[in-house]
Amino acid sequence: MSLSTQTPLHTGQSRPALILLAILLAIFVIPTSISGTAVALPNIAMQLKPELTTLQWVVTAFNLTFACFTLAWGAVADIIGRRLAFTLGALIYAAGALISATATDILVLDCARAVAGIGAAAIFSAGSAILATEFDAAARLKAFAMAGAAVGIGVGIGPTLSGLLVENIGWRAIFYVHAGIIGVVIAIIPAMRLQAPHFSNARIDYIGIALFVLSALLLVTGIVQGSQWGWSSRDTLGLFVLSVVSFAAFILAERYQRQPMLDLSILRNRQFVGWCLATVTPSFGFFTLLTYLPSYLSSVAGYSAGTTGLAMLLLALPLFICPVISAKLVEAGIKAKTVLFVSLGVLIVGDICLLFISTGASLLAFAGPMLLVGAGTGLCAGLADGQALGNVAPEKSGLAAGFLNTLRLGSETIAIAFYGSLLATNLHKVMSADLPDFATALDIKLLANTVATGNLTTPLQMVDASHAELFRTFMDSSYNASFHSVMLVLIGICILLSIVIIKLLSPSENTKPRLAAVSDQA
């Protein structure tokens, strides 16, 4: 496909403030949906009375389609135009939110959440491409920093906002609010005067999209269901095998497509791949903690739900300001790569500090490590997106944005599933070795899975009251030991990823930046 370079903002033909406002509002809503919807699950369960697995898909269905369709929307946006793709995404998301708000059946709610995820994928892919092509080098840096801050704010206040809405109005209010904000975005879109792309004989790669989405759906479904079916079960392994086969068919098809969804040549760009991988490291070092640390704080550390919710702001607060700080540092002349390497170091140091915290630790002991982890993630947020997309040709920015966000979201899904599985595995191992004599009649696998969710109350009811205190101490120490074992593995993954990133971003004779402006900053 051949697309003309879109007119940059400084020509005066566009309205940068309105463009930025629409995109920031849209990408703010999406992380609030990811981090906040889980708060409503108990209330949804009481009203709709679903089975546990169908209830879990209220969250999983959104994450699944979001991750699977991001790359597809990036490619489509390059063909039909980024504004049209962004508009379609906003409309689809709004429809999914409204259906979610009015659903009276859990399966309808699950499907509506999947629809909203498809819209969210279009918003992220097309929105990122618009920022990359409509803003020049200096303005692009600021725009992506603000976008990173918007994501951080959404992640941080999502649980708090959702909790207030559920407590005072009801769980349906969450989705009405999401639909309302996206409604404002839709009202702004007509004023987003972007240069329409011109193309000749451009075609949507339906075969590539279908094979990629199928492969991603099979993979993520296998990861999500693996903890319930068993990771070595025939069903789980079958999904993984079919995913590999589908992905191999996708790669083969793309090699012979005249206008492929994924131009494989983009993966030969070391700078682009390096900056893309920079978004994967926080998936293992930050987002796993965002999901599972509340269980540790409320169960092992013994904090109340309210205190735990406030404590989690320590992880999210740096994301409000660090993306802007990152942009300011680059503006001041510090190389973008230097800022990135520092951010990776800060993230890893924060995770390492968590290894020295044990049961009975005060909230103050958690504050330092959590702030460091959040700061390391925040310094990278926005910066990596802007630098990655700045290293590809403008006509491929939609495809590049789709690949970037697919890699980020896919790695988050994998990291979170991996954490849960590894935690349960370690708990089973530790508890099997040290299970007290008075608890030998308990199903050790069920016990480990229950404790892994942070539920230490139910197991206490399974032993004699005279042993309750001792059994509670046993569960605390087992969870604490397993938590530290998992953190060691995650830290190792972050270190390996950082080494690969540094290698890819190191100067090379074959590395030629796509955009001179980005090269100067990096």
Side-chain angles (χ1 to χ4, degrees):
M1 76 190 69
S2 60
L3 293 157
S4 64
T5 303
Q6 296 187 340
T7 305
L9 288 180
H10 57 263
T11 62
Q13 295 181 1
S14 302
R15 299 181 180 181
L18 288 176
I19 292 173
L20 191 58
L21 175 61
I23 293 175
L24 291 180
L25 280 175
I27 66 175
F28 161 78
V29 170
I30 293 170
T32 65
S33 181
I34 295 174
S35 67
T37 303
V39 176
L41 292 182
N43 296 77
I44 294 173
M46 286 189 294
Q47 185 172 0
L48 302 185
K49 297 178 174 57
E51 294 181 357
L52 177 60
T53 53
T54 53
L55 180 65
Q56 290 174 328
W57 278 96
V58 173
V59 175
T60 302
F62 181 90
N63 294 341
L64 186 63
T65 54
F66 189 10
C68 291
F69 283 89
T70 301
L71 180 58
W73 271 113
V76 171
D78 283 340
I79 295 176
I80 68 175
R82 287 121 199 186
R83 173 175 156 172
L84 178 56
F86 184 79
T87 303
L88 289 174
L91 290 171
I92 293 172
Y93 186 94
L98 288 174
I99 296 173
S100 298
T102 56
T104 57
D105 181 84
I106 189 64
L107 294 179
V108 174
L109 178 57
D110 288 344
C111 292
R113 291 289 291 156
V115 169
I118 295 174
I123 288 172
F124 253 71
S125 293
S128 298
I130 290 171
L131 293 182
T133 55
E134 291 295 313
F135 289 78
D136 59 24
R140 185 190 307 121
L141 189 64
K142 295 179 181 179
F144 274 104
M146 295 178 69
V151 171
I153 294 172
V155 169
I157 72 171
T160 303
L161 176 62
S162 295
L164 291 173
L165 290 172
V166 170
E167 185 176 351
N168 295 286
I169 303 176
W171 64 266
R172 298 181 187 276
I174 296 175
F175 303 113
Y176 278 123
V177 169
H178 291 172
I181 296 176
I182 293 298
V184 174
V185 173
I186 294 172
I188 296 175
I189 288 176
M192 293 172 55
R193 299 176 181 174
L194 309 184
Q195 178 84 11
H198 299 286
F199 50 86
S200 59
N201 299 321
R203 298 177 182 177
I204 296 176
D205 179 14
Y206 293 107
I207 295 177
I209 291 174
L211 287 172
F212 180 82
V213 170
L214 176 61
S215 175
L217 283 171
L218 290 169
L219 173 62
V220 178
T221 302
I223 293 172
V224 171
Q225 295 294 131
S227 59
Q228 299 181 33
W229 295 344
W231 293 99
S232 60
S233 71
R234 180 184 302 176
D235 290 338
T236 302
L237 294 177
L239 286 175
F240 289 150
V241 170
L242 289 175
S243 175
V244 172
V245 172
S246 299
F247 188 73
F250 164 71
I251 295 296
L252 183 63
E254 295 303 274
R255 291 173 63 90
Y256 295 99
Q257 281 286 337
R258 178 182 174 188
Q259 296 163 342
M261 177 183 74
L262 176 60
D263 185 351
L264 299 177
S265 65
I266 199 173
L267 302 181
R268 292 196 291 268
N269 185 331
R270 288 163 50 100
Q271 297 292 307
F272 172 72
V273 174
W275 283 106
C276 284
L277 283 179
T279 68
V280 174
T281 308
S283 296
F284 290 90
F286 173 82
F287 284 100
T288 50
L289 294 176
L290 190 68
T291 304
Y292 285 101
L293 190 58
S295 295
Y296 183 90
L297 292 174
S298 60
S299 59
V300 178
Y303 295 112
S304 66
T307 302
T308 297
L310 291 175
M312 291 306 295
L313 287 175
L314 293 170
L315 270 180
L317 280 175
L319 271 69
F320 299 178
I321 58 173
C322 284
V324 178
I325 293 175
S326 177
K328 292 291 185 182
L329 291 173
V330 175
E331 282 184 347
I334 298 177
K335 292 182 178 181
K337 293 176 186 177
T338 301
V339 177
L340 172 64
F341 298 157
V342 169
S343 75
L344 295 175
V346 172
L347 171 64
I348 292 171
V349 168
D351 286 334
I352 291 175
C353 288
L354 285 173
L355 294 175
F356 298 96
I357 298 177
S358 59
T359 55
S362 67
L363 189 59
L364 185 61
F366 287 93
M370 291 173 71
L371 287 172
L372 284 174
V373 171
T377 303
L379 288 172
C380 176
L383 175 68
D385 296 59
Q387 294 293 319
L389 297 181
N391 273 284
V392 298
E395 64 269 18
K396 294 183 179 180
S397 59
L399 182 153
F403 177 83
L404 171 67
N405 286 302
T406 297
L407 194 63
R408 187 205 327 263
L409 295 166
S411 65
E412 288 176 14
T413 303
I414 292 171
I416 291 170
F418 176 72
Y419 183 108
S421 175
L422 192 60
L423 179 64
T425 300
N426 274 278
L427 274 168
H428 187 276
K429 180 180 179 181
V430 172
M431 288 183 158
S432 297
D434 300 321
L435 189 67
D437 293 336
F438 59 79
T440 53
L442 297 179
D443 184 330
I444 189 64
K445 182 177 181 180
L446 178 61
L447 175 62
N449 288 336
T450 302
V451 173
T453 66
N455 181 6
L456 275 63
T457 302
T458 299
L460 285 175
Q461 300 171 356
M462 300 178 181
V463 299
D464 188 270
S466 61
H467 298 304
E469 184 175 351
L470 180 60
F471 193 52
R472 173 62 194 237
T473 301
F474 164 72
M475 289 190 293
D476 284 346
S477 62
S478 298
Y479 194 114
N480 187 65
S482 300
F483 172 79
H484 286 80
S485 296
V486 173
M487 286 304 303
L488 275 173
V489 175
L490 296 179
I491 290 168
I493 293 174
C494 289
I495 291 174
L496 288 175
L497 282 170
S498 298
I499 293 172
V500 173
I501 292 167
I502 293 173
K503 179 65 176 178
L504 287 171
L505 296 182
S506 297
S508 171
E509 293 181 1
N510 297 324
T511 301
K512 295 182 180 180
R514 297 281 184 177
L515 299 178
V518 174
S519 177
D520 292 340
Q521 293 173 354

